[in-house]
Amino acid sequence: MKIGIPKDGRFGDFGGKYIPETLAPAIEELEKKYMKIRNDKAFKKELKKFLIDYAGRPTPLYFAKNLTKRSGGAKIYLKREDLLHGGAHKINNTLGQALLAKKMGKKRIIAETGAGQHGVATAMACACLGLEAEIYMGYVDTERQKQNVFRMELLGAKVHSVKSGSQTLKDAINEAMRDWITNVESTYYLLGSAVGPHPYPLMVRDFQSVIGNEIKKQMKKIPNTVIACVGGGSNAIGTFYPLIETKAEIIGIEAGGKGLNTLQHSAPLSAGTKGVLHGMMTYLMQDKQGQIQETHSISAGLDYPGVGPEHSYLKDEKRVKYKAITDDEVIDAFLLLTRVEGIIPALESAHAIAYAVKIAKKMKKSESIVVTLSGRGDKDINIVQEYLKKNVKDKRKI
Amino acid sequence: MSRIKEKFNELKLRKEKALVSYIMVGYPNDNATLSSVKGIVKGGADIIELGFPFSDPIADGPIIQKASTGSLNNKTKIEKFFKLVKKIRKQTNIPLILMTYTNILYKQGYQQFIKRAKNAGIDGLILPDMSIEESKNYLNAAKSQKMDTIFLVSPNTKKDRLNKIANASSGFLYMVAVFGTTGVQTKIHQYTIDALKSTKRSVGQKIPVGVGFGISTERDVKKYASIGADAIIVGSANIKIMENTPSSKLEKKICSFTKKLKNQTK
Ligand SMILES: Cc1ncc(COP(=O)(O)O)c(C=O)c1O
């Protein structure tokens, strides 16, 4: 299948621009500038230089020999986005958008963050490019990802703790949007995932597609299966999009939390319904009244009731399969990868690892799986420690 | 003719501007909604805007956010809301507008929701996150039910866009007074005054122009009435009164506040 640029900002039924009117001129300006600059050679060259010299691209594609042996089947390769500056794929997008903001003459940057990885990556890009950064983060997330709050502050960003609603990522986006409505002339909103009103989903896909493009070059032949975790869906769409027209099987992994039958999960593609939130039409976790439901995931970065509209489209078109992995399975995968490969994955990325291990054994040894390891897990070690303390009974050996 | 249109015609003859009073249903509790409506009607407001809560109200400031959360905690549901509207409709002929967010309608189906709203006695709809680009199905459903669609414009809305939005609007056109969310502002900005004047000029006699967001005092109402607003919308100020007034005194208190504001529109 071929997708390209979404017509009228829509991927089939999904996407669009459901926005307060005050934002309309800003979105229009952004769209105009971005559509022009996305094919501009000088811009691409400048961004590429930052990605290489500052962020550390290209990232390796690592053959995980021990993990492959343990799973006993297909070869598992890891796309090492965890090795990027800041420790996650987020910097691919923040450098792109911050550079764009600078070209648009904006000096004040706002962003939302869940796990804090996008906030950190925004703070880094802004420090590097001489821009002012203010980050909105749900209060619950500031508590569970304390270290990232301090990292952002060290990098010169101002962090606003958001105490409305469920005090997580969705509320941080609400608050960032309110800030943007209030300071629309001076401010650039640097969205951290492939969500929001058009042109954000397209723009974030463009900036993250470097992941999939490198995979294509690094694999001698097209992999049988490609897997990435899906929060808002930026590392996933960046991994998938360049491979959409190939024969590869593509699988996105959502946060199954305590199980899809419990409501304590963040898996709108697996268990949600269509609706409108944060400027886009997409699959959402909502009740019958259209109220957005509170979500749960052990990983703050996946704890979001919506998903990028292109993923909703890819699901309905059946080009990509979406599956969920539970918190318990995530911890197992986290411990496994850490032990056998010496790589501590982000809890978000551990969702994708868990699924890869699950299916590898059912595949032939000659087949291959590429898993995008979206980030490193240093930020999560306290959460894992607490989890293990609470679950001593199930005797997971450390 | 729609109740809203009729109201504006009537006001024109009396050389008055419309006072539109907003409250959030189910907040601080269900009884407060009914007492406040009574007070608003007695106080002489011309139109009532009923807020229906949404979990993620991105166009609202802290006061209405808190009211939305409170209302949801009080188990405000669509069915209950329509029952309440029917009750109000039996007591008064005042135009009733529903303000909520797109997803509430989308989830039920635009057609189905609007039909039920019309049946209950709602005359117009305001959806702050419904952009003109995405409004086709919504507009078709509203038209088929003769429901007024009140779109928002902003001080930064360009002229050609303004005309498009005005064409899709019925009842009145809602100009947001500030770059910002709903709430209480301490002053009237020059840019708002300029924008209101130019919006009026662009729209001409096609449709009345209301102004809202941040308006809370007699002085504000007077000022906007004097510079050409056809309707002045007051919301967060009502909610603050409702939060701070014991239920036995609420109707009276809202009534006297409404009366004071209404006097400035004559
Ligand atoms: C390491 C990591 N992976 C994945 C995600 C999820 O975001 P997305 O789905 O946009 O890639 C996050 C978000 O914070 C993250 O930090």
Side-chain angles (χ1 to χ4, degrees):
Chain A
M1 84 187 286
K2 222 179 159 82
I3 300 179
I5 291 168
K7 194 174 169 287
D8 297 328
R10 281 190 179 256
F11 303 91
D13 272 358
F14 301 101
K17 308 174 185 176
Y18 294 84
I19 46 167
E21 190 53 33
T22 305
L23 293 181
I27 293 272
E28 196 179 305
E29 183 200 13
L30 176 63
E31 187 179 357
K32 229 185 249 162
K33 292 264 163 60
Y34 179 65
M35 290 318 277
K36 210 166 143 198
I37 220 166
R38 94 190 264 276
N39 296 312
D40 182 273
K41 278 207 180 105
F43 178 80
K44 282 200 209 166
K45 200 171 152 194
E46 194 176 355
L47 176 57
K48 193 169 176 187
K49 197 162 163 49
F50 276 110
L51 288 174
I52 294 169
D53 298 340
Y54 184 76
R57 298 216 74 91
T59 58
L61 184 74
Y62 169 69
F63 171 50
K65 201 170 70 190
N66 302 331
L67 189 66
T68 299
K69 212 162 148 193
R70 280 291 279 262
S71 320
K75 294 189 196 70
I76 301 174
Y77 293 85
L78 305 178
K79 180 58 176 165
R80 300 289 308 274
E81 295 298 294
D82 62 314
L83 293 176
L84 284 172
H85 182 46
H89 67 292
K90 299 283 178 189
I91 194 93
N92 300 327
N93 173 45
T94 59
L95 280 172
Q97 285 199 53
L99 207 53
L100 170 66
K102 200 161 170 159
K103 306 274 177 218
M104 288 172 73
K106 307 276 181 185
K107 295 202 169 61
R108 179 174 179 265
I109 307 290
I110 54 168
E112 82 295 341
T113 196
Q117 290 303 100
H118 174 59
V120 167
T122 299
M124 284 171 168
C126 287
C128 167
L129 294 170
L131 299 162
E132 198 188 309
E134 290 188 37
I135 313 291
Y136 289 90
M137 186 168 185
Y139 173 73
V140 170
D141 292 335
T142 60
E143 286 296 304
R144 62 177 161 176
Q145 305 272 302
K146 268 193 187 132
Q147 210 186 13
N148 269 344
V149 175
F150 189 54
R151 275 169 96 198
M152 288 184 263
E153 287 168 349
L154 282 173
L155 289 160
K158 190 166 170 197
V159 181
H160 300 279
S161 167
V162 177
K163 293 207 166 144
S164 58
S166 58
Q167 312 186 339
T168 58
L169 180 55
K170 100 179 155 70
D171 310 282
I173 296 180
N174 291 343
E175 214 45 46
M177 284 193 152
R178 292 184 188 116
D179 179 316
W180 199 21
I181 292 169
T182 309
N183 304 294
V184 63
E185 297 280 332
S186 67
T187 298
Y188 182 94
Y189 181 17
L190 207 165
L191 243 170
S193 192
V195 298
H198 177 71
Y200 283 104
L202 169 68
M203 193 157 65
V204 176
R205 179 185 85 190
D206 284 347
F207 290 135
Q208 292 293 358
S209 286
V210 67
I211 303 173
N213 283 324
E214 283 179 11
I215 291 173
K216 256 169 120 176
K217 268 190 223 149
Q218 288 163 323
M219 287 295 285
K220 285 192 192 78
K221 54 178 208 199
I222 298 296
N224 296 82
T225 302
V226 183
I227 303 176
C229 68
V230 181
S234 70
N235 88 88
I237 204 70
T239 303
F240 300 165
Y241 186 72
L243 292 152
I244 285 289
E245 288 171 47
T246 71
K247 285 216 173 88
E249 174 189 38
I250 303 180
I251 308 173
I253 308 299
E254 294 191 288
K258 297 186 174 158
L260 292 186
N261 52 349
T262 63
L263 273 183
Q264 296 206 57
H265 60 80
S266 309
L269 290 165
S270 306
T273 52
K274 268 167 89 168
V276 175
L277 178 70
H278 294 150
M280 60 181 167
M281 181 169 296
T282 193
Y283 280 102
L284 299 173
M285 295 208 17
Q286 57 180 330
D287 65 17
K288 289 201 173 90
Q289 296 270 318
Q291 304 294 351
I292 307 306
Q293 278 162 332
E294 295 205 358
T295 52
H296 163 83
S297 169
I298 193 165
S299 64
L302 304 185
D303 204 347
Y304 179 62
V307 64
E310 193 164 1
H311 287 290
S312 293
Y313 176 68
L314 289 168
K315 172 197 152 84
D316 276 13
E317 292 293 309
K318 300 196 165 59
R319 175 60 189 99
V320 177
K321 275 195 269 184
Y322 293 91
K323 302 279 178 192
I325 284 288
T326 64
D327 290 350
D328 291 343
E329 293 173 298
V330 167
I331 294 288
D332 286 341
F334 176 96
L335 296 175
L336 178 66
L337 189 71
T338 303
R339 268 305 152 100
V340 304
E341 295 289 354
I343 296 172
I344 304 177
L347 285 172
E348 291 82 6
S349 324
H351 284 73
I353 301 288
Y355 197 78
V357 171
K358 239 183 186 176
I359 62 165
K361 32 177 157 310
K362 296 181 202 150
M363 293 168 67
K364 289 191 211 111
K365 283 199 168 146
S366 58
E367 293 182 307
S368 58
I369 303 174
V370 174
V371 185
T372 294
L373 192 66
S374 55
R376 67 171 187 233
D378 307 49
K379 69 181 175 64
D380 294 320
I381 51 176
N382 291 337
I383 297 173
V384 174
Q385 194 172 30
E386 295 240 321
Y387 180 96
L388 293 176
K389 254 194 239 155
K390 266 196 222 139
N391 294 276
V392 276
K393 266 207 216 118
D394 70 10
K395 292 216 176 62
R396 266 168 237 235
K397 274 192 223 103
I398 307 178
Chain B
M1 195 190 298
S2 85
R3 270 199 200 93
I4 300 173
K5 196 161 181 189
E6 221 168 290
K7 177 62 80 177
F8 278 103
N9 287 347
E10 180 194 315
L11 287 167
K12 205 168 177 183
L13 289 177
R14 294 212 305 261
K15 294 199 162 56
E16 285 178 26
K17 308 302 177 101
L19 174 70
V20 181
S21 296
Y22 170 98
I23 57 167
M24 169 64 67
V25 299
Y27 182 79
N29 52 58
D30 292 342
N31 288 337
T33 305
L34 283 171
S35 328
S36 304
V37 165
K38 272 191 197 146
I40 288 169
V41 173
K42 275 193 195 154
D46 303 292
I47 297 173
I48 297 180
E49 193 183 321
L50 298 169
F52 183 85
F54 178 51
S55 50
D56 296 82
I58 55 168
D60 287 303
I63 297 171
I64 297 183
Q65 276 175 50
K66 185 172 162 218
S68 300
T69 309
S71 177
L72 286 172
N73 289 342
N74 291 338
K75 308 228 170 345
T76 300
K77 298 258 159 66
I78 294 165
E79 297 70 29
K80 195 163 110 182
F81 171 72
F82 286 143
K83 263 191 209 149
L84 178 86
V85 172
K86 279 183 188 157
K87 209 167 181 179
I88 297 171
R89 191 36 91 220
K90 273 197 195 129
Q91 294 165 5
T92 164
N93 200 37
I94 195 168
L96 297 173
I97 294 170
L98 161 61
M99 174 160 171
T100 189
Y101 285 78
T102 300
N103 197 49
I104 300 294
L105 272 71
Y106 178 79
K107 181 71 182 155
Q108 307 303 315
Y110 293 133
Q111 188 74 35
Q112 207 206 342
F113 185 99
I114 293 174
K115 198 171 167 184
R116 288 175 69 193
K118 186 75 189 184
N119 269 338
I122 293 285
D123 302 296
L125 297 170
I126 301 176
L127 304 175
D129 60 341
M130 174 57 81
S131 66
I132 194 78
E133 286 88 351
E134 311 298 341
S135 64
K136 202 173 129 203
N137 294 341
Y138 163 65
L139 278 175
N140 286 340
K143 239 181 228 134
S144 75
Q145 298 295 327
K146 298 196 167 55
M147 177 70 85
D148 282 336
T149 49
I150 296 145
F151 278 84
L152 283 80
V153 293
S154 168
N156 61 1
T157 306
K158 292 195 195 89
K159 202 168 166 181
D160 52 337
R161 200 175 159 85
L162 177 70
N163 287 328
K164 252 191 239 162
I165 297 173
N167 285 335
S169 300
S170 44
F172 65 94
L173 182 66
Y174 191 139
M175 196 193 95
V176 169
V178 291
F179 292 114
T181 50
T182 56
V184 174
Q185 294 268 327
T186 46
K187 67 171 212 184
I188 297 179
H189 301 276
Q190 186 59 40
Y191 73 75
T192 311
I193 295 170
D194 296 343
L196 179 58
K197 286 182 180 162
S198 80
T199 302
K200 277 295 292 174
R201 226 179 294 125
S202 299
V203 173
Q205 294 304 308
K206 218 165 21 189
I207 189 164
V209 176
V211 60
F213 279 36
I215 303 172
S216 64
T217 64
E218 290 170 71
R219 193 203 58 188
D220 296 345
V221 173
K222 186 174 181 160
K223 175 78 182 171
Y224 283 119
S226 75
I227 56 173
D230 301 300
I232 296 113
I233 302 135
V234 175
S236 295
N238 287 328
I239 293 181
K240 274 180 105 171
I241 292 175
M242 292 166 78
E243 279 178 344
N244 298 327
T245 311
S247 54
S248 58
K249 300 206 173 110
L250 186 56
E251 183 184 328
K252 233 176 158 178
K253 191 96 184 249
I254 288 277
C255 175
S256 77
F257 180 61
T258 305
K259 215 175 253 169
K260 276 192 226 151
L261 297 180
K262 179 56 201 171
N263 277 335
Q264 305 303 319
T265 68
K266 293 182 183 168

